Coordinates of all heavy atoms in Angstrom, one line a residue:
Y1334 N 6.1 -14.0 -30.6 CA 6.4 -12.9 -29.7 C 5.8 -13.2 -28.3 O 4.7 -13.8 -28.2 CB 5.7 -11.6 -30.1 CG 5.8 -10.5 -29.1 CD1 6.9 -9.7 -29.0 CD2 4.7 -10.2 -28.3 CE1 7.1 -8.7 -28.1 CE2 4.8 -9.2 -27.3 CZ 6.0 -8.4 -27.2 OH 6.1 -7.4 -26.3
T1335 N 6.6 -12.9 -27.3 CA 6.2 -13.2 -25.9 C 6.6 -12.0 -25.0 O 7.6 -11.4 -25.2 CB 6.8 -14.5 -25.4 OG1 6.3 -14.7 -24.0 CG2 8.3 -14.4 -25.3
Y1336 N 5.7 -11.7 -24.1 CA 6.0 -10.7 -23.1 C 5.6 -11.1 -21.7 O 4.5 -11.7 -21.4 CB 5.1 -9.4 -23.4 CG 5.3 -8.3 -22.4 CD1 6.4 -7.5 -22.4 CD2 4.4 -8.2 -21.3 CE1 6.6 -6.5 -21.5 CE2 4.6 -7.2 -20.4 CZ 5.7 -6.3 -20.5 OH 5.9 -5.4 -19.5
T1337 N 6.6 -11.0 -20.8 CA 6.4 -11.3 -19.4 C 7.1 -10.2 -18.6 O 8.3 -9.9 -18.7 CB 7.1 -12.6 -19.0 OG1 6.6 -13.7 -19.8 CG2 6.9 -12.9 -17.5
P1338 N 6.3 -9.5 -17.8 CA 6.9 -8.3 -17.0 C 7.8 -8.8 -15.9 O 7.8 -9.9 -15.5 CB 5.6 -7.7 -16.4 CG 4.6 -8.7 -16.3 CD 4.8 -9.6 -17.5
F1339 N 8.7 -7.9 -15.5 CA 9.7 -8.2 -14.5 C 9.1 -8.3 -13.1 O 8.3 -7.4 -12.8 CB 10.8 -7.2 -14.5 CG 11.7 -7.3 -13.3 CD1 12.7 -8.3 -13.2 CD2 11.6 -6.4 -12.3 CE1 13.5 -8.4 -12.1 CE2 12.5 -6.5 -11.2 CZ 13.4 -7.5 -11.1
R1340 N 9.4 -9.3 -12.4 CA 9.0 -9.5 -11.0 C 10.3 -9.8 -10.2 O 11.0 -10.7 -10.6 CB 8.0 -10.6 -10.8 CG 6.6 -10.3 -11.4 CD 5.9 -9.1 -10.7 NE 4.6 -8.9 -11.2 CZ 4.2 -8.1 -12.2 NH1 5.2 -7.4 -12.8 NH2 3.0 -8.0 -12.6
E1341 N 10.5 -9.1 -9.1 CA 11.7 -9.4 -8.3 C 11.6 -10.8 -7.7 O 10.6 -11.1 -7.0 CB 11.8 -8.3 -7.2 CG 13.0 -8.5 -6.3 CD 14.3 -8.5 -7.0 OE1 14.6 -7.5 -7.7 OE2 15.1 -9.5 -6.8
Q1342 N 12.6 -11.6 -7.9 CA 12.5 -13.0 -7.4 C 13.8 -13.4 -6.7 O 14.0 -14.6 -6.5 CB 12.2 -13.9 -8.6 CG 10.9 -13.6 -9.3 CD 10.7 -14.4 -10.6 OE1 10.8 -15.6 -10.6 NE2 10.5 -13.6 -11.7
S1343 N 14.7 -12.5 -6.4 CA 16.0 -12.9 -5.9 C 15.9 -13.5 -4.5 O 16.8 -14.2 -4.0 CB 16.9 -11.7 -5.9 OG 16.4 -10.6 -5.1
D1344 N 14.8 -13.2 -3.8 CA 14.6 -13.7 -2.4 C 13.9 -15.1 -2.4 O 13.8 -15.7 -1.4 CB 13.8 -12.8 -1.5 CG 12.5 -12.4 -2.1 OD1 12.3 -12.7 -3.4 OD2 11.6 -11.8 -1.4
I1345 N 13.6 -15.6 -3.6 CA 12.9 -16.9 -3.7 C 14.0 -18.0 -3.8 O 14.9 -17.9 -4.7 CB 12.0 -17.0 -4.9 CG1 10.8 -15.9 -4.7 CG2 11.4 -18.4 -5.1 CD1 9.9 -15.9 -5.9
P1346 N 14.0 -19.0 -3.0 CA 15.0 -20.0 -3.1 C 14.8 -20.8 -4.4 O 13.7 -20.9 -5.0 CB 14.8 -20.9 -1.9 CG 13.4 -20.7 -1.5 CD 13.1 -19.3 -1.9
V1347 N 15.9 -21.5 -4.9 CA 15.8 -22.3 -6.1 C 15.7 -23.7 -5.7 O 16.7 -24.3 -5.3 CB 17.0 -22.0 -7.0 CG1 17.0 -23.0 -8.2 CG2 17.1 -20.6 -7.5
F1348 N 14.5 -24.3 -5.8 CA 14.3 -25.7 -5.5 C 14.4 -26.6 -6.7 O 15.1 -27.6 -6.7 CB 12.8 -25.9 -5.0 CG 12.6 -25.3 -3.6 CD1 11.6 -24.4 -3.4 CD2 13.5 -25.5 -2.6 CE1 11.4 -23.9 -2.1 CE2 13.3 -25.0 -1.3 CZ 12.2 -24.1 -1.1
D1349 N 13.9 -26.2 -7.9 CA 14.0 -27.1 -9.1 C 14.1 -26.3 -10.4 O 13.8 -26.8 -11.4 CB 12.7 -28.0 -9.1 CG 11.4 -27.2 -9.3 OD1 11.5 -25.9 -9.3 OD2 10.3 -27.8 -9.3
S1350 N 14.6 -25.1 -10.3 CA 14.8 -24.3 -11.6 C 16.2 -24.3 -12.0 O 17.1 -24.3 -11.2 CB 14.3 -22.8 -11.3 OG 12.9 -22.7 -11.3
S1351 N 16.4 -24.2 -13.3 CA 17.7 -24.0 -13.9 C 17.5 -23.3 -15.3 O 16.4 -23.3 -15.8 CB 18.4 -25.4 -14.1 OG 17.6 -26.2 -15.0
A1352 N 18.6 -22.8 -15.8 CA 18.5 -22.1 -17.1 C 18.4 -23.2 -18.2 O 19.1 -24.2 -18.2 CB 19.7 -21.2 -17.3
R1353 N 17.5 -22.9 -19.2 CA 17.4 -23.8 -20.3 C 18.5 -23.6 -21.3 O 18.9 -22.5 -21.5 CB 16.0 -23.6 -21.0 CG 14.8 -23.9 -20.2 CD 13.6 -23.6 -21.1 NE 12.3 -23.7 -20.4 CZ 11.6 -24.8 -20.3 NH1 12.0 -25.9 -20.9 NH2 10.5 -24.9 -19.6
S1354 N 19.0 -24.7 -21.8 CA 20.0 -24.6 -22.8 C 19.4 -24.1 -24.1 O 18.3 -24.6 -24.5 CB 20.7 -26.0 -23.1 OG 21.3 -26.4 -21.9
L1355 N 20.0 -23.2 -24.8 CA 19.4 -22.6 -26.0 C 19.5 -23.6 -27.1 O 20.6 -24.2 -27.4 CB 20.2 -21.3 -26.4 CG 19.6 -20.6 -27.6 CD1 18.2 -20.1 -27.4 CD2 20.6 -19.4 -28.0
N1356 N 18.4 -23.9 -27.7 CA 18.3 -24.7 -28.9 C 17.2 -24.2 -29.8 O 16.5 -23.2 -29.4 CB 18.1 -26.2 -28.6 CG 16.9 -26.4 -27.7 OD1 15.8 -25.9 -27.9 ND2 17.1 -27.3 -26.7
Y1357 N 16.9 -24.8 -30.9 CA 15.9 -24.3 -31.8 C 14.5 -24.3 -31.2 O 13.8 -23.3 -31.4 CB 15.9 -25.1 -33.1 CG 15.1 -24.5 -34.2 CD1 15.5 -23.4 -35.0 CD2 13.8 -25.0 -34.5 CE1 14.8 -22.8 -35.9 CE2 13.0 -24.4 -35.5 CZ 13.5 -23.3 -36.2 OH 12.7 -22.8 -37.2
N1358 N 14.1 -25.3 -30.5 CA 12.8 -25.4 -29.9 C 12.7 -24.3 -28.8 O 11.6 -23.8 -28.6 CB 12.5 -26.8 -29.4 CG 12.4 -27.8 -30.4 OD1 11.9 -27.5 -31.5 ND2 12.7 -29.0 -30.2
Q1359 N 13.7 -24.0 -28.1 CA 13.7 -23.0 -27.0 C 13.4 -21.6 -27.6 O 13.0 -20.7 -26.8 CB 15.0 -23.0 -26.3 CG 15.1 -22.1 -25.1 CD 14.1 -22.3 -24.0 OE1 13.5 -23.4 -23.9 NE2 13.8 -21.3 -23.2
L1360 N 13.6 -21.4 -28.9 CA 13.2 -20.1 -29.4 C 11.7 -19.8 -29.3 O 11.4 -18.6 -29.3 CB 13.6 -20.1 -30.9 CG 15.1 -20.1 -31.3 CD1 15.2 -20.2 -32.8 CD2 15.9 -19.0 -30.7
F1361 N 10.9 -20.8 -29.1 CA 9.5 -20.6 -29.0 C 8.9 -20.9 -27.6 O 7.7 -21.2 -27.5 CB 8.8 -21.5 -30.1 CG 9.4 -21.3 -31.5 CD1 10.3 -22.2 -31.9 CD2 9.1 -20.2 -32.3 CE1 10.9 -22.1 -33.2 CE2 9.7 -20.1 -33.5 CZ 10.6 -21.0 -34.0
A1362 N 9.7 -20.8 -26.6 CA 9.3 -21.1 -25.2 C 9.1 -19.7 -24.5 O 9.8 -18.8 -24.8 CB 10.3 -21.9 -24.5
E1363 N 8.0 -19.7 -23.7 CA 7.7 -18.4 -23.0 C 8.7 -18.2 -21.9 O 9.1 -17.0 -21.6 CB 6.3 -18.5 -22.4 CG 5.2 -18.5 -23.5 CD 3.8 -18.4 -22.8 OE1 3.7 -18.5 -21.6 OE2 2.8 -18.3 -23.6
N1364 N 9.2 -19.2 -21.2 CA 10.1 -19.0 -20.1 C 11.5 -19.6 -20.4 O 11.6 -20.7 -20.9 CB 9.5 -19.7 -18.8 CG 10.2 -19.4 -17.5 OD1 11.0 -18.5 -17.5 ND2 10.0 -20.2 -16.5
R1365 N 12.5 -18.9 -20.1 CA 13.9 -19.3 -20.3 C 14.4 -20.2 -19.2 O 15.6 -20.6 -19.2 CB 14.8 -18.2 -20.6 CG 15.0 -17.2 -19.4 CD 15.9 -16.1 -19.8 NE 16.2 -15.2 -18.7 CZ 15.5 -14.1 -18.4 NH1 14.5 -13.8 -19.2 NH2 15.8 -13.3 -17.4
F1366 N 13.6 -20.4 -18.1 CA 14.0 -21.3 -17.0 C 13.1 -22.5 -17.0 O 11.9 -22.5 -17.3 CB 13.9 -20.5 -15.7 CG 14.8 -19.3 -15.6 CD1 14.3 -18.1 -15.8 CD2 16.1 -19.5 -15.3 CE1 15.1 -17.0 -15.7 CE2 17.0 -18.4 -15.2 CZ 16.4 -17.1 -15.4
T1367 N 13.7 -23.6 -16.5 CA 12.9 -24.8 -16.1 C 12.3 -24.6 -14.7 O 12.7 -23.8 -14.0 CB 13.7 -26.1 -16.2 OG1 14.7 -26.0 -15.1 CG2 14.4 -26.2 -17.5
G1368 N 11.3 -25.5 -14.4 CA 10.8 -25.4 -13.0 C 9.9 -24.2 -12.8 O 9.5 -23.5 -13.8
K1369 N 9.6 -23.9 -11.5 CA 8.6 -22.8 -11.2 C 9.2 -21.7 -10.3 O 8.5 -20.8 -9.9 CB 7.4 -23.4 -10.6 CG 6.7 -24.4 -11.5 CD 5.5 -25.0 -10.7 CE 4.7 -25.9 -11.7 NZ 5.4 -27.1 -12.0
D1370 N 10.5 -21.8 -9.9 CA 11.1 -20.9 -9.0 C 11.6 -19.6 -9.7 O 11.8 -18.6 -9.0 CB 12.2 -21.5 -8.2 CG 11.8 -22.7 -7.4 OD1 10.7 -22.6 -6.8 OD2 12.5 -23.7 -7.4

């Protein structure tokens, strides 16, 4: 189980983030995005 509250981030540019491809290991990741943006 993981919980992360919503924070508005639409005004933050995307330097190195992308959506992770769903796979079995991704089921246990806290963040569904790569990078930090």
Side-chain angles (χ1 to χ4, degrees):
Y1334 173 79
T1335 183
Y1336 176 79
T1337 302
F1339 170 73
R1340 293 292 187 269
E1341 180 60 52
Q1342 302 171 53
S1343 59
D1344 56 346
I1345 297 177
V1347 175
F1348 292 129
D1349 61 2
S1350 283
S1351 62
R1353 295 181 186 269
S1354 299
L1355 182 62
N1356 55 46
Y1357 188 78
N1358 291 330
Q1359 180 61 22
L1360 294 175
F1361 309 99
E1363 292 183 355
N1364 190 14
R1365 64 179 182 270
F1366 297 101
T1367 64
K1369 300 178 175 67
D1370 299 318

